[in-house]
């Protein structure tokens, strides 16, 4: 009946523990979900999206470096400068030069405008003479007065006014650094749109450009321009607050999902690069992970319940034994010694029996560790415990007191008998050969418990006797 009751209590305990584990698992999964949700939102807003913006901006700069390099070469070309300084004779030579640039580098156009004549030279010929009062020619006069050597500008192509192109306009100077004209190349706008689609597909983000009013000015062919797009409603006010700031970010919720927006000013275009990202995919992954974690938690809790019950039932006795003994030597530990001491003390007082103890310490044990290592030292401890046990009675108790010290509790044994036992063990140590041929000795402190003493007083006097034995040269038995 007792055994059944004990098993029932054990099972109830395991059920409670399992429920606590399962509750903790579910609570931890929910907490992890909300923490991860906030972390993902923060990561998208503060790290992933800005980093994507930097990458796309870097790729835009990289893709524009080639035409900038071409325009730079044209501006430094001695043929172009010498031709202009020589009075612009033989226009066909320059036209052939521009046509060669256009063909070789596959640009939409290549051009040169002379400051002296204001003529616009093109692979097709001399297209016109630029005029400050003509809006389509305003770019040239801006370039002539700008502090930098070049600009990237989106403008109507002089050769095809209905078509927008991306131009790299470069200043040309003579050998005394006097301005003598502007040259450069143009890129087709549809090629730039194809690049934007490349960025979108590569980074899985929506990418487009807007002007200072928030109107979309450049987008990929895949971009759907919807008037009800929430970002378009928010951008104008955000851009007004921009002031000197070069980039900013914001987010909003729509249709149950968060949309993260990063806006960066592109000075080469005088436009803003807008990159959008929705959290749909990330949040779905988190929800799937939460459900999976909960299912795993239920399964694990059930397995824990079954395994724990059978493990405890099968190994309870072994656990009790392990709790009472020192793992290395197999002797009792100090906690078990206290329990047995109280029992032996009651028995000694009731029957007026002697109760003695022997505290022994292996001499120079540290040298064994230093010479052979701790694994050898552990083996010596096991051998020493076995040696002592071989010389004890069945009623005697051996306890590992600490390190290389052992305490022997001797019921119904007076001081003289305890001294004889200690001497017997001392001689056994001297005759024994330990691991790796080591020869060891031991020092002993022996004491009998007086009825007027408590346990601490008794242990202290034995310890003092051991200390005296070690102080007097070791390998001795000293009575307290």
């Amino acid at each position: 009946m007792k055994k059944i009751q004990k098993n029932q209590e054990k099972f109830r305990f395991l059920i409670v523990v399992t429920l606590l584990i399962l509750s903790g698992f579910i609570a931890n999964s929910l907490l992890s979900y909300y923490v991860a949700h906030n972390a993902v939102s923060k990561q998208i807003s503060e790290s992933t999206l800005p980093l994507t913006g930097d990458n796309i901006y870097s790729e835009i700069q990289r893709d524009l470096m080639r035409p900038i390099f071409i325009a730079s070469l044209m501006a430094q070309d001695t043929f172009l400068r010498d031709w202009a300084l020589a009075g612009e004779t033989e226009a066909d030579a320059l036209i052939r030069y521009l046509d060669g640039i256009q063909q070789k580098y596959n640009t939409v156009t290549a051009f040169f405008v002379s400051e002296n004549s204001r003529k616009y030279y093109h692979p097709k010929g001399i297209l016109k003479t630029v005029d400050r009062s003509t809006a389509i020619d305003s770019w040239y006069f801006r370039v002539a007065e700008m502090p930098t050597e070049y600009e990237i500008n989106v403008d109507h192509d002089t050769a095809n006014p209905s078509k927008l192109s991306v131009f790299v306009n470069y200043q040309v100077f003579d050998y005394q650094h006097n301005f003598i004209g502007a040259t450069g190349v143009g890129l087709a706008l549809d090629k730039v749109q194809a690049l934007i689609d490349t960025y979108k597909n590569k980074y899985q983000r929506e990418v487009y450009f807007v002007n200072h009013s928030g109107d979309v000015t450049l987008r990929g062919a895949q971009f759907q321009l919807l008037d009800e797009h929430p970002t378009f409603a928010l951008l104008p006010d955000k851009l007004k607050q921009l002031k000197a700031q070069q980039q900013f970010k914001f987010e909003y919720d729509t249709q149950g999902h968060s949309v993260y927006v990063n806006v960066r000013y592109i000075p080469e275009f005088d436009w803003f690069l807008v990159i959008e990202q929705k959290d749909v995919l990330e949040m779905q992954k988190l929800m799937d992970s939460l459900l999976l974690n909960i299912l795993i938690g239920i399964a694990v809790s059930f397995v824990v319940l079954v395994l724990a019950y059978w493990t405890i039932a099968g190994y309870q006795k072994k656990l009790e034994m392990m709790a009472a003994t020192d793992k290395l030597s197999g002797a009792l530990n100090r906690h078990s010694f206290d329990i047995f001491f109280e029992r032996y003390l009651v028995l000694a007082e009731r029957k007026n029996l002697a109760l003695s103890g022997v505290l022994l310490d292996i001499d120079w044990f540290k040298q064994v560790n230093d010479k052979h290592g701790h694994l050898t030292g552990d083996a010596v401890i096991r051998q020493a415990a076995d040696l002592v046990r071989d010389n004890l009675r069945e009623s005697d108790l051996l306890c590992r007191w600490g390190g290389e010290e052992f305490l022997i509790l001797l019921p119904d044994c007076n001081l003289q008998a305890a001294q004889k036992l200690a001497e017997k063990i001392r001689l056994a140590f001297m005759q024994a050969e330990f691991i790796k041929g080591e020869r060891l000795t031991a020092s002993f402190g022996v004491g009998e418990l007086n009825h007027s003493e408590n346990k601490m007083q008794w242990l202290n006097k034995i310890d003092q006797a051991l200390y005296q034995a070690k102080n007097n040269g070791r390998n001795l038995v000293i009575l307290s």
Side-chain angles (χ1 to χ4, degrees), residues 361-366 440-443 470 473-476:
D361 183 277
I362 303 173
D363 296 330
W364 309 113
F365 179 74
K366 185 177 182 301
L440 299 172
T441 60
S443 300
K470 296 181 76 68
R474 292 180 168 81
N475 193 23
L476 294 173

Side-chain angles (χ1 to χ4, degrees), residues 3 11 47 81 91 111 119 142 167 175 190 195 201 230 244 248 330 337 340 379 381 400 433 439 480:
K3 188 174 181 181
F11 188 73
S47 177
R81 292 190 289 175
F111 62 89
K119 290 179 180 179
R142 181 183 68 251
F167 288 95
Y175 302 105
D190 57 356
L195 285 174
N201 295 330
F248 64 94
F337 174 83
F340 280 101
I381 292 293
R400 187 177 179 194
E433 182 176 329
R439 293 285 184 174
S480 64

Side-chain angles (χ1 to χ4, degrees), residues 35-164:
V35 170
H37 184 283
N38 293 334
V40 167
S41 298
K42 187 175 181 181
Q43 183 182 17
I44 293 175
S45 175
E46 298 183 4
S47 177
T48 306
L49 200 58
L51 183 59
T52 302
D54 291 341
N55 290 339
I56 292 176
Y57 179 63
S58 298
E59 294 195 24
I60 289 172
Q61 288 185 314
R62 181 200 64 196
D63 294 331
L64 290 174
M65 282 304 295
R66 187 167 178 267
I68 292 171
F69 179 68
I70 296 167
S72 173
L73 289 178
M74 294 170 66
Q76 303 299 323
D77 197 317
T78 55
F79 165 76
L80 178 63
R81 292 190 289 175
D82 289 345
W83 181 87
L85 293 172
E88 304 178 37
T89 58
E90 298 185 18
D92 288 343
L94 181 62
I95 292 169
R96 285 194 301 272
Y97 169 80
L98 295 174
D99 184 60
I101 293 290
Q102 182 175 324
Q103 296 301 324
K104 181 175 181 179
Y105 296 108
N106 195 28
T107 62
V108 173
T109 185
F111 62 89
F112 173 71
V113 178
S114 169
E115 174 66 10
N116 183 46
S117 65
R118 301 286 173 84
K119 290 179 180 179
Y120 190 111
Y121 294 94
H122 186 269
K124 294 180 180 180
I126 302 174
L127 298 186
K128 63 179 298 185
T129 301
V130 297
D131 186 346
R132 189 181 291 272
S133 62
T134 305
I136 199 172
D137 297 335
S138 61
W139 69 269
Y140 173 75
F141 301 98
R142 181 183 68 251
V143 170
E145 297 170 359
M146 68 184 183
T148 56
E149 288 186 333
Y150 77 93
E151 70 167 7
I152 299 175
N153 183 42
V154 179
D155 206 345
H156 291 276
D157 191 345
T158 301
N160 188 358
S162 64
K163 186 176 181 180
L164 278 173

